[in-house]
Coordinates of all heavy atoms in Angstrom, one line a residue:
A1 N 80.3 86.7 137.2 CA 79.4 87.8 137.4 C 79.1 88.5 136.1 O 79.9 88.5 135.2 CB 80.1 88.8 138.4
A2 N 77.9 89.1 136.0 CA 77.5 89.8 134.8 C 78.2 91.1 134.8 O 78.7 91.7 135.8 CB 76.0 90.0 134.8
F3 N 78.3 91.7 133.6 CA 78.9 93.0 133.4 C 78.0 94.0 134.0 O 76.8 93.9 134.0 CB 79.1 93.3 131.9 CG 80.1 92.5 131.2 CD1 79.8 91.6 130.3 CD2 81.5 92.8 131.5 CE1 80.8 90.9 129.6 CE2 82.5 92.1 130.8 CZ 82.2 91.1 129.9
P4 N 78.5 95.1 134.5 CA 77.7 96.2 134.9 C 77.0 96.9 133.7 O 77.4 96.7 132.6 CB 78.7 97.2 135.5 CG 80.0 96.8 135.1 CD 80.0 95.4 134.7
T5 N 75.9 97.6 134.0 CA 75.2 98.2 132.9 C 76.0 99.2 132.2 O 76.9 99.9 132.8 CB 73.8 98.8 133.4 OG1 74.2 99.8 134.4 CG2 72.9 97.8 133.9
A6 N 75.7 99.4 130.9 CA 76.5 100.4 130.1 C 75.5 101.0 129.1 O 74.4 100.4 128.8 CB 77.6 99.7 129.4
P7 N 75.9 102.1 128.5 CA 75.0 102.8 127.5 C 74.7 101.8 126.3 O 75.5 101.0 126.0 CB 75.8 104.0 127.0 CG 76.8 104.2 128.1 CD 77.1 102.9 128.7
E8 N 73.5 102.0 125.8 CA 73.1 101.2 124.6 C 74.2 101.3 123.5 O 74.7 102.4 123.2 CB 71.7 101.7 124.1 CG 71.2 100.9 123.0 CD 70.7 99.5 123.4 OE1 70.3 99.4 124.6 OE2 70.7 98.6 122.6
G9 N 74.5 100.2 122.8 CA 75.4 100.2 121.7 C 76.9 100.0 122.2 O 77.8 100.0 121.3
T10 N 77.1 99.9 123.5 CA 78.5 99.7 123.9 C 79.0 98.4 123.5 O 78.4 97.4 123.6 CB 78.5 99.8 125.5 OG1 78.1 101.1 125.9 CG2 79.9 99.5 126.0
K11 N 80.3 98.4 123.0 CA 81.0 97.2 122.6 C 81.9 96.8 123.7 O 82.7 97.6 124.1 CB 81.7 97.4 121.3 CG 80.9 97.9 120.1 CD 79.9 96.8 119.7 CE 79.1 97.3 118.5 NZ 77.9 96.6 118.2
R12 N 81.8 95.6 124.2 CA 82.7 95.2 125.3 C 83.8 94.3 124.9 O 83.6 93.4 124.0 CB 81.8 94.5 126.4 CG 80.8 95.4 127.0 CD 79.9 94.6 128.0 NE 78.9 95.3 128.5 CZ 78.9 96.1 129.6 NH1 80.1 96.2 130.2 NH2 77.9 96.8 130.0
I13 N 84.9 94.4 125.5 CA 86.1 93.6 125.3 C 86.4 93.0 126.6 O 86.6 93.7 127.6 CB 87.3 94.4 124.7 CG1 87.0 95.0 123.4 CG2 88.5 93.5 124.6 CD1 88.0 95.9 122.9
L14 N 86.5 91.6 126.7 CA 86.8 90.9 127.9 C 88.2 90.4 127.9 O 88.7 89.9 126.9 CB 85.8 89.7 128.0 CG 86.0 88.8 129.2 CD1 85.8 89.5 130.5 CD2 85.1 87.6 129.1
L15 N 89.0 90.8 128.9 CA 90.4 90.3 129.0 C 90.4 89.2 130.1 O 89.9 89.4 131.2 CB 91.3 91.5 129.4 CG 91.2 92.7 128.5 CD1 92.1 93.8 129.1 CD2 91.7 92.3 127.1
T16 N 91.1 88.1 129.8 CA 91.2 87.0 130.8 C 92.5 86.4 130.6 O 93.0 86.3 129.5 CB 90.0 86.0 130.7 OG1 90.2 85.0 131.7 CG2 90.0 85.3 129.3
H17 N 93.1 86.0 131.7 CA 94.4 85.2 131.7 C 94.1 83.8 131.1 O 94.8 83.4 130.2 CB 95.0 85.2 133.1 CG 96.2 84.3 133.1 ND1 97.4 84.7 132.6 CD2 96.4 83.0 133.6 CE1 98.3 83.7 132.8 NE2 97.7 82.7 133.4
N18 N 93.2 83.1 131.6 CA 92.9 81.8 131.3 C 91.5 81.6 130.6 O 90.5 81.8 131.3 CB 93.0 80.9 132.5 CG 92.8 79.4 132.2 OD1 92.4 79.0 131.2 ND2 93.0 78.6 133.3
P19 N 91.5 81.3 129.3 CA 90.1 81.2 128.7 C 89.2 80.1 129.2 O 88.0 80.2 129.1 CB 90.5 80.9 127.2 CG 91.8 80.3 127.3 CD 92.6 80.9 128.4
E20 N 89.8 79.2 129.9 CA 89.0 78.1 130.5 C 88.0 78.5 131.6 O 87.1 77.8 131.9 CB 89.9 77.0 131.0 CG 90.8 76.3 129.9 CD 90.0 75.7 128.8 OE1 89.0 75.0 129.1 OE2 90.4 75.9 127.7
I21 N 88.3 79.7 132.2 CA 87.3 80.2 133.2 C 86.1 80.9 132.7 O 85.2 81.3 133.4 CB 88.1 81.2 134.2 CG1 88.4 82.5 133.5 CG2 89.3 80.5 134.8 CD1 88.8 83.6 134.5
L22 N 86.0 81.0 131.3 CA 84.9 81.7 130.7 C 83.6 81.0 131.0 O 83.5 79.7 130.9 CB 85.0 81.8 129.2 CG 86.1 82.7 128.7 CD1 86.2 82.6 127.2 CD2 85.8 84.2 129.1
R23 N 82.6 81.7 131.5 CA 81.3 81.1 131.7 C 80.3 81.6 130.6 O 80.5 82.7 130.1 CB 80.8 81.5 133.1 CG 81.7 81.0 134.2 CD 81.0 81.3 135.6 NE 80.8 82.7 135.7 CZ 81.5 83.5 136.4 NH1 82.6 83.1 137.0 NH2 81.2 84.8 136.5
S24 N 79.4 80.8 130.3 CA 78.5 81.1 129.2 C 77.8 82.4 129.3 O 77.5 83.0 128.4 CB 77.6 79.9 128.9 OG 76.8 79.7 130.1
Q25 N 77.4 82.8 130.6 CA 76.7 84.0 130.7 C 77.5 85.3 130.4 O 76.9 86.3 130.1 CB 76.0 84.1 132.1 CG 77.0 84.3 133.3 CD 77.4 82.9 133.9 OE1 77.4 81.9 133.2 NE2 77.8 83.0 135.2
A26 N 78.8 85.2 130.4 CA 79.6 86.4 130.1 C 79.9 86.5 128.6 O 80.1 87.6 128.1 CB 81.0 86.3 130.9
I27 N 79.9 85.4 127.9 CA 80.3 85.4 126.5 C 79.4 86.3 125.6 O 79.9 87.1 124.9 CB 80.4 84.0 126.0 CG1 81.5 83.2 126.7 CG2 80.6 83.9 124.5 CD1 81.6 81.8 126.4
P28 N 78.0 86.2 125.7 CA 77.2 87.0 124.8 C 77.4 88.5 125.0 O 77.1 89.3 124.1 CB 75.8 86.6 125.1 CG 75.9 85.3 125.8 CD 77.2 85.3 126.5
E29 N 77.9 89.0 126.1 CA 78.0 90.4 126.3 C 79.3 91.0 125.8 O 79.5 92.2 125.8 CB 77.9 90.7 127.8 CG 76.5 90.3 128.4 CD 76.4 90.6 129.8 OE1 76.7 91.7 130.2 OE2 75.9 89.8 130.6
A30 N 80.3 90.2 125.4 CA 81.5 90.7 124.9 C 81.7 90.4 123.4 O 81.4 89.2 123.0 CB 82.7 90.0 125.7
V31 N 82.0 91.4 122.6 CA 82.2 91.1 121.2 C 83.6 90.5 120.9 O 83.8 89.9 119.9 CB 82.0 92.4 120.3 CG1 80.6 92.8 120.4 CG2 83.0 93.5 120.7
L32 N 84.6 90.8 121.8 CA 85.9 90.3 121.7 C 86.4 89.8 123.0 O 86.3 90.5 124.0 CB 86.8 91.4 121.2 CG 88.3 91.1 121.0 CD1 88.5 90.0 119.9 CD2 89.1 92.3 120.5
I33 N 87.0 88.7 123.1 CA 87.6 88.1 124.3 C 89.1 87.8 124.0 O 89.4 87.1 123.1 CB 86.9 86.8 124.7 CG1 85.4 87.1 124.9 CG2 87.5 86.3 126.0 CD1 84.5 85.9 125.1
L34 N 90.0 88.5 124.8 CA 91.4 88.3 124.6 C 91.9 87.5 125.8 O 91.7 87.8 127.0 CB 92.1 89.6 124.6 CG 91.6 90.6 123.5 CD1 92.3 91.9 123.6 CD2 91.8 90.0 122.1
A35 N 92.5 86.3 125.5 CA 93.1 85.5 126.6 C 94.6 85.6 126.6 O 95.2 85.7 125.6 CB 92.6 84.0 126.4
G36 N 95.1 85.5 127.8 CA 96.5 85.7 128.1 C 97.5 84.8 127.4 O 98.5 85.2 127.0
H37 N 97.2 83.5 127.4 CA 98.2 82.6 126.8 C 97.5 81.3 126.5 O 96.4 81.0 127.0 CB 99.5 82.4 127.5 CG 99.3 81.8 128.9 ND1 99.3 80.4 129.0 CD2 99.1 82.3 130.1 CE1 99.2 80.1 130.3 NE2 99.1 81.3 131.0
L38 N 98.1 80.5 125.6 CA 97.6 79.2 125.2 C 97.8 78.2 126.3 O 98.9 77.7 126.6 CB 98.3 78.8 124.0 CG 97.9 77.5 123.3 CD1 96.5 77.6 122.8 CD2 98.8 77.1 122.2
H39 N 96.7 77.9 127.0 CA 96.7 76.8 128.0 C 96.6 75.5 127.3 O 95.9 75.4 126.3 CB 95.6 77.0 129.1 CG 95.9 78.2 130.0 ND1 96.4 78.0 131.2 CD2 95.8 79.5 129.8 CE1 96.5 79.2 131.8 NE2 96.2 80.1 130.9
G40 N 97.2 74.5 127.8 CA 97.2 73.2 127.2 C 98.5 72.8 126.5 O 98.5 72.0 125.6
A41 N 99.6 73.3 127.0 CA 100.9 73.0 126.6 C 101.3 73.8 125.3 O 100.5 74.5 124.8 CB 101.0 71.5 126.3
Q42 N 102.6 73.7 125.0 CA 103.1 74.4 123.9 C 103.6 73.4 122.9 O 104.6 73.6 122.2 CB 104.3 75.3 124.4 CG 103.7 76.4 125.3 CD 104.9 77.1 126.1 OE1 105.9 76.6 126.3 NE2 104.6 78.4 126.4
C43 N 102.9 72.4 122.7 CA 103.1 71.4 121.7 C 101.9 71.3 120.8 O 100.8 70.9 121.3 CB 103.4 70.0 122.4 SG 103.5 68.6 121.2
I44 N 102.0 71.6 119.6 CA 100.9 71.5 118.6 C 101.3 70.5 117.5 O 102.2 70.7 116.8 CB 100.6 72.8 118.0 CG1 100.3 73.9 119.0 CG2 99.5 72.7 116.9 CD1 100.1 75.3 118.5
L45 N 100.6 69.3 117.5 CA 100.9 68.3 116.5 C 100.1 68.6 115.2 O 100.6 68.4 114.1 CB 100.6 66.9 117.0 CG 101.4 66.5 118.2 CD1 101.1 65.1 118.7 CD2 102.9 66.6 118.0
W46 N 98.9 69.1 115.4 CA 98.1 69.5 114.2 C 96.9 70.3 114.7 O 96.5 70.4 115.9 CB 97.6 68.3 113.4 CG 96.7 67.4 114.1 CD1 95.3 67.5 114.3 CD2 97.0 66.1 114.6 NE1 94.8 66.4 114.9 CE2 95.8 65.5 115.1 CE3 98.2 65.4 114.7 CZ2 95.8 64.3 115.7 CZ3 98.2 64.1 115.3 CH2 97.0 63.6 115.8
R47 N 96.2 71.0 113.8 CA 95.0 71.7 114.0 C 93.8 70.8 113.5 O 93.8 70.3 112.5 CB 95.0 73.0 113.3 CG 95.8 74.1 113.9 CD 96.0 75.3 113.0 NE 96.8 76.3 113.6 CZ 98.1 76.3 113.9 NH1 98.8 75.2 113.5 NH2 98.7 77.3 114.5
T48 N 92.8 70.8 114.4 CA 91.6 70.0 114.0 C 90.8 70.7 112.9 O 91.1 71.9 112.6 CB 90.7 69.7 115.2 OG1 90.1 70.9 115.6 CG2 91.5 69.1 116.3
A49 N 89.8 70.1 112.4 CA 88.9 70.7 111.4 C 88.2 72.0 111.9 O 87.9 72.9 111.2 CB 87.9 69.7 110.9
H50 N 88.0 72.0 113.3 CA 87.4 73.2 113.9 C 88.4 74.2 114.4 O 88.0 75.2 115.1 CB 86.5 72.7 115.1 CG 85.4 71.8 114.6 ND1 84.3 72.2 113.9 CD2 85.2 70.5 114.8 CE1 83.5 71.2 113.7 NE2 84.1 70.1 114.2
G51 N 89.7 74.0 114.1 CA 90.7 75.0 114.5 C 91.3 74.8 115.9 O 92.1 75.6 116.4
S52 N 90.9 73.7 116.6 CA 91.5 73.4 117.9 C 92.9 72.9 117.7 O 93.2 72.3 116.7 CB 90.6 72.4 118.7 OG 89.4 73.0 119.0
L53 N 93.7 73.0 118.7 CA 95.1 72.6 118.6 C 95.3 71.3 119.4 O 95.0 71.2 120.6 CB 96.0 73.7 119.2 CG 95.8 75.1 118.6 CD1 96.6 76.1 119.3 CD2 96.1 75.1 117.1
F54 N 95.7 70.2 118.7 CA 95.9 68.9 119.3 C 97.3 68.7 119.7 O 98.2 69.2 118.9 CB 95.5 67.8 118.2 CG 95.6 66.5 118.8 CD1 94.6 65.9 119.5 CD2 96.8 65.7 118.6 CE1 94.7 64.6 120.0 CE2 96.9 64.4 119.1 CZ 95.8 63.9 119.8
P55 N 97.6 68.2 120.8 CA 96.8 67.4 121.8 C 96.2 68.3 122.9 O 95.4 67.7 123.7 CB 97.8 66.4 122.3 CG 99.1 67.1 122.4 CD 99.0 68.1 121.1
G56 N 96.5 69.6 123.0 CA 96.0 70.4 124.1 C 94.5 70.4 124.2 O 93.9 70.5 125.3
N57 N 93.8 70.3 123.0 CA 92.3 70.3 123.0 C 91.7 69.1 123.7 O 90.5 69.1 124.0 CB 91.8 70.5 121.6 CG 92.0 69.2 120.7 OD1 93.0 68.5 120.9 ND2 91.1 69.0 119.9
V58 N 92.4 68.1 124.0 CA 91.9 66.9 124.7 C 91.5 67.3 126.1 O 90.5 66.8 126.6 CB 92.9 65.7 124.6 CG1 92.4 64.6 125.5 CG2 93.2 65.3 123.2
L59 N 92.3 68.2 126.7 CA 92.1 68.6 128.1 C 91.4 70.0 128.2 O 90.8 70.3 129.2 CB 93.4 68.5 128.9 CG 94.0 67.2 129.0 CD1 95.4 67.3 129.7 CD2 93.1 66.2 129.7
Y60 N 91.6 70.8 127.2 CA 91.2 72.2 127.3 C 90.3 72.6 126.2 O 90.6 72.5 125.0 CB 92.4 73.2 127.4 CG 93.3 72.9 128.5 CD1 94.5 72.1 128.3 CD2 93.1 73.4 129.8 CE1 95.3 71.9 129.4 CE2 93.9 73.2 130.8 CZ 95.0 72.4 130.6 OH 95.9 72.2 131.7
R61 N 89.1 73.1 126.5 CA 88.1 73.4 125.4 C 88.5 74.6 124.6 O 88.0 74.7 123.5 CB 86.7 73.5 126.0 CG 86.5 74.7 126.9 CD 85.1 74.8 127.5 NE 85.1 75.8 128.5 CZ 84.1 76.6 128.7 NH1 83.0 76.4 128.1 NH2 84.2 77.5 129.6
F62 N 89.3 75.5 125.1 CA 89.7 76.7 124.4 C 91.2 76.6 124.0 O 91.8 77.6 124.0 CB 89.4 77.9 125.2 CG 87.9 78.2 125.3 CD1 87.4 78.4 126.6 CD2 87.1 78.2 124.2 CE1 86.0 78.6 126.7 CE2 85.7 78.4 124.4 CZ 85.2 78.6 125.6
C63 N 91.7 75.4 123.7 CA 93.0 75.3 123.2 C 93.0 75.6 121.7 O 92.9 74.7 120.9 CB 93.6 73.9 123.5 SG 95.4 73.9 123.2
T64 N 93.0 76.8 121.4 CA 92.8 77.3 120.0 C 93.4 78.7 119.9 O 93.7 79.3 120.9 CB 91.3 77.4 119.7 OG1 91.1 77.8 118.3 CG2 90.6 78.4 120.6
E65 N 93.7 79.1 118.6 CA 94.2 80.5 118.5 C 93.1 81.5 118.3 O 93.2 82.6 118.8 CB 95.1 80.5 117.2 CG 96.4 79.7 117.4 CD 97.2 79.6 116.2 OE1 96.7 79.8 115.1 OE2 98.4 79.3 116.3
R66 N 92.0 81.1 117.6 CA 90.9 82.0 117.4 C 89.6 81.2 117.2 O 89.7 80.1 116.6 CB 91.1 82.8 116.1 CG 90.0 83.8 115.8 CD 90.2 84.5 114.5 NE 89.1 85.4 114.3 CZ 89.3 86.7 114.2 NH1 90.4 87.3 114.2 NH2 88.2 87.5 113.9
K67 N 88.6 81.6 117.9 CA 87.3 80.8 117.8 C 86.1 81.8 117.9 O 86.1 82.7 118.7 CB 87.3 79.8 119.0 CG 86.1 78.9 118.9 CD 86.3 77.9 120.0 CE 85.2 76.8 119.9 NZ 85.4 75.7 120.8
E68 N 85.1 81.6 117.1 CA 83.9 82.3 117.1 C 83.0 81.6 118.2 O 82.8 80.4 118.1 CB 83.2 82.4 115.8 CG 84.0 83.0 114.7 CD 84.5 84.4 115.0 OE1 83.6 85.2 115.5 OE2 85.6 84.8 114.8
L69 N 82.5 82.3 119.2 CA 81.7 81.7 120.2 C 80.3 82.2 120.1 O 79.9 83.1 119.4 CB 82.3 82.2 121.6 CG 83.7 81.9 121.9 CD1 84.2 82.5 123.2 CD2 83.9 80.4 121.9
P70 N 79.4 81.5 120.8 CA 78.0 81.8 120.8 C 77.8 83.3 121.2 O 78.5 83.8 122.1 CB 77.3 80.9 121.8 CG 78.3 79.7 121.9 CD 79.6 80.3 121.6
G71 N 76.8 83.9 120.6 CA 76.5 85.3 121.0 C 77.4 86.3 120.2 O 77.5 87.5 120.6
K72 N 78.0 85.9 119.1 CA 78.8 86.8 118.2 C 80.1 87.3 118.9 O 80.5 88.4 118.7 CB 78.0 87.9 117.7 CG 76.8 87.5 116.9 CD 76.0 88.6 116.4 CE 74.8 88.1 115.6 NZ 73.9 89.2 115.1
S73 N 80.7 86.5 119.8 CA 81.9 86.8 120.4 C 83.1 86.1 119.7 O 82.9 85.0 119.2 CB 82.0 86.3 121.9 OG 81.0 87.0 122.6
T74 N 84.2 86.8 119.6 CA 85.4 86.2 119.0 C 86.4 86.1 120.1 O 86.7 87.0 120.8 CB 86.0 87.2 117.9 OG1 85.0 87.3 116.9 CG2 87.3 86.6 117.3
L75 N 87.0 84.9 120.3 CA 88.0 84.6 121.3 C 89.3 84.5 120.6 O 89.5 83.8 119.6 CB 87.7 83.3 122.0 CG 88.8 82.7 122.8 CD1 89.0 83.6 124.1 CD2 88.5 81.3 123.2
I76 N 90.3 85.3 121.0 CA 91.7 85.2 120.5 C 92.6 84.8 121.7 O 92.6 85.5 122.7 CB 92.1 86.6 119.9 CG1 91.2 86.9 118.7 CG2 93.6 86.5 119.5 CD1 91.5 88.3 118.1
V77 N 93.3 83.7 121.5 CA 94.2 83.2 122.5 C 95.6 83.3 122.0 O 96.0 82.8 121.0 CB 93.9 81.7 122.9 CG1 94.8 81.2 124.0 CG2 92.4 81.6 123.2
S78 N 96.5 84.0 122.8 CA 97.9 84.2 122.4 C 98.7 82.9 122.7 O 98.4 82.3 123.8 CB 98.5 85.4 123.1 OG 99.9 85.4 122.9
R79 N 99.7 82.6 121.9 CA 100.6 81.5 122.2 C 101.6 81.9 123.2 O 102.3 81.1 123.8 CB 101.3 81.0 120.9 CG 100.4 80.3 120.0 CD 101.1 79.7 118.8 NE 101.9 80.6 118.1 CZ 101.5 81.2 116.9 NH1 100.4 80.8 116.4 NH2 102.3 82.0 116.3
G80 N 101.7 83.2 123.5 CA 102.6 83.8 124.5 C 104.1 83.8 124.1 O 104.4 83.5 123.0
L81 N 104.9 84.3 125.0 CA 106.3 84.5 124.8 C 107.2 83.6 125.6 O 108.4 83.4 125.4 CB 106.7 85.9 125.0 CG 106.1 87.0 124.1 CD1 106.5 88.4 124.6 CD2 106.7 86.8 122.7
G82 N 106.6 83.0 126.7 CA 107.4 82.2 127.6 C 107.5 80.7 127.2 O 106.7 80.3 126.4
D83 N 108.4 80.0 127.9 CA 108.5 78.6 127.7 C 108.2 77.9 129.0 O 108.8 78.4 130.0 CB 109.9 78.2 127.2 CG 110.2 78.8 125.8 OD1 109.3 78.8 125.0 OD2 111.4 79.3 125.6
C84 N 107.4 76.9 129.0 CA 107.2 76.3 130.3 C 108.2 75.2 130.6 O 108.4 74.9 131.8 CB 105.7 75.7 130.4 SG 105.2 74.5 129.2
L85 N 108.9 74.6 129.7 CA 109.9 73.6 130.1 C 111.4 73.9 129.8 O 112.2 73.3 130.5 CB 109.5 72.2 129.4 CG 108.2 71.6 130.0 CD1 107.9 70.3 129.3 CD2 108.3 71.4 131.5
P86 N 111.9 74.6 128.9 CA 111.4 75.3 127.8 C 111.4 74.5 126.5 O 112.4 74.3 125.9 CB 112.3 76.5 127.7 CG 113.6 75.9 128.1 CD 113.3 74.9 129.2
I87 N 110.2 74.0 126.1 CA 110.1 73.2 124.9 C 108.8 73.7 124.2 O 107.8 73.9 124.8 CB 109.9 71.7 125.2 CG1 111.1 71.1 125.8 CG2 109.5 71.0 123.9 CD1 110.9 69.7 126.3
R88 N 109.0 74.0 122.9 CA 107.9 74.4 122.0 C 108.0 73.6 120.8 O 109.0 73.5 120.2 CB 107.9 75.9 121.6 CG 107.5 76.8 122.7 CD 107.6 78.3 122.2 NE 107.1 79.2 123.2 CZ 105.8 79.7 123.1 NH1 105.1 79.4 122.2 NH2 105.4 80.5 124.1
I89 N 106.9 72.9 120.4 CA 106.8 72.1 119.2 C 105.7 72.7 118.3 O 104.5 72.7 118.7 CB 106.6 70.7 119.5 CG1 107.7 70.1 120.4 CG2 106.4 69.8 118.2 CD1 107.5 68.7 120.9
N90 N 106.1 73.2 117.2 CA 105.1 73.8 116.2 C 104.2 74.9 116.9 O 103.0 75.0 116.6 CB 104.2 72.7 115.6 CG 103.5 73.1 114.4 OD1 104.0 74.0 113.7 ND2 102.4 72.5 114.0
C91 N 104.8 75.6 117.8 CA 104.1 76.6 118.5 C 105.0 77.8 118.8 O 105.5 78.1 119.9 CB 103.6 76.0 119.9 SG 102.6 77.2 120.9
P92 N 105.3 78.6 117.7 CA 106.2 79.7 117.8 C 105.7 80.8 118.8 O 104.5 81.0 118.9 CB 106.3 80.3 116.4 CG 105.1 79.8 115.7 CD 104.7 78.5 116.4
K93 N 106.6 81.5 119.5 CA 106.2 82.6 120.3 C 105.5 83.7 119.5 O 105.8 83.8 118.3 CB 107.5 83.1 121.0 CG 108.1 82.2 121.9 CD 109.4 82.7 122.5 CE 110.1 81.7 123.4 NZ 111.3 82.3 124.1
E94 N 104.7 84.4 120.1 CA 104.0 85.5 119.4 C 103.5 86.6 120.3 O 103.3 86.5 121.5 CB 102.8 84.9 118.7 CG 101.6 84.6 119.6 CD 100.3 84.3 118.8 OE1 100.2 84.4 117.6 OE2 99.4 83.8 119.5
I95 N 103.4 87.8 119.7 CA 102.7 88.9 120.2 C 101.6 89.2 119.3 O 101.7 89.3 118.1 CB 103.6 90.1 120.3 CG1 104.8 89.9 121.3 CG2 102.9 91.4 120.7 CD1 105.9 91.0 121.3
V96 N 100.4 89.3 119.9 CA 99.2 89.5 119.1 C 98.9 91.0 118.9 O 98.9 91.7 119.9 CB 97.9 88.8 119.7 CG1 96.7 89.1 118.9 CG2 98.2 87.3 119.8
E97 N 98.8 91.4 117.7 CA 98.4 92.9 117.5 C 97.0 92.9 116.9 O 96.7 92.2 116.0 CB 99.4 93.4 116.5 CG 99.1 94.9 116.2 CD 100.2 95.5 115.2 OE1 101.3 95.2 115.3 OE2 99.7 96.3 114.4
I98 N 96.2 93.7 117.5 CA 94.8 93.9 117.1 C 94.5 95.3 116.8 O 94.8 96.2 117.6 CB 93.9 93.4 118.3 CG1 94.2 91.9 118.6 CG2 92.4 93.6 117.9 CD1 93.5 91.4 119.8
T99 N 93.9 95.5 115.7 CA 93.5 96.9 115.3 C 91.9 96.9 115.4 O 91.2 96.1 114.8 CB 93.9 97.2 113.8 OG1 95.3 97.0 113.7 CG2 93.4 98.6 113.4
I100 N 91.5 97.9 116.2 CA 90.0 98.0 116.4 C 89.6 99.3 115.7 O 90.1 100.4 115.9 CB 89.7 98.1 117.9 CG1 90.2 96.8 118.6 CG2 88.2 98.4 118.2 CD1 90.1 96.9 120.1
T101 N 88.6 99.1 114.8 CA 88.1 100.3 114.1 C 86.6 100.5 114.3 O 86.0 99.6 114.8 CB 88.3 100.1 112.6 OG1 87.7 98.9 112.2 CG2 89.8 100.0 112.3

């Protein structure tokens, strides 16, 4: 769904648990998109030239830590604090701190 109307010049921040649900019509309206955790496993063998995390990027288009999206949006995806198996390979736990000015 589209964002409700807001005063001119409003900067929008979109919060989502799973970045894979992002639809292209919502992206241009948000300057910052914060995603809940890194979907696509907690095993990172390497980063691609575009900043995607392999092998998770084979199945998930937003398996990345940070990505500039169309419409001047920045996507930040946290690696999170939990363990799913519990196994983490080259994927340390993190808390993301953002300063907005």
Side-chain angles (χ1 to χ4, degrees):
F3 288 111
T5 58
E8 184 71 30
T10 298
K11 305 294 185 195
R12 296 180 185 271
I13 299 173
L14 176 63
L15 305 175
T16 183
H17 172 76
N18 181 350
E20 297 301 318
I21 67 165
L22 292 174
R23 295 186 306 260
S24 59
Q25 67 266 29
I27 293 172
E29 297 183 45
V31 295
L32 179 62
I33 302 168
L34 304 174
H37 64 88
L38 183 67
H39 287 260
Q42 295 170 330
C43 171
I44 300 171
L45 299 181
W46 64 77
R47 285 170 176 72
T48 68
H50 299 289
S52 294
L53 306 175
F54 182 86
N57 70 324
V58 173
L59 298 174
Y60 300 97
R61 66 184 172 143
F62 293 127
C63 190
T64 184
E65 293 173 339
R66 181 183 180 121
K67 186 173 187 172
E68 301 302 317
L69 302 174
K72 301 181 182 175
S73 297
T74 299
L75 169 67
I76 298 176
V77 182
S78 172
R79 292 188 300 260
L81 294 172
D83 295 320
C84 61
L85 292 179
I87 296 173
R88 283 180 174 262
I89 299 172
N90 198 25
C91 184
K93 297 177 181 184
E94 75 172 349
I95 295 174
V96 178
E97 182 177 320
I98 299 169
T99 303
I100 299 173
T101 57

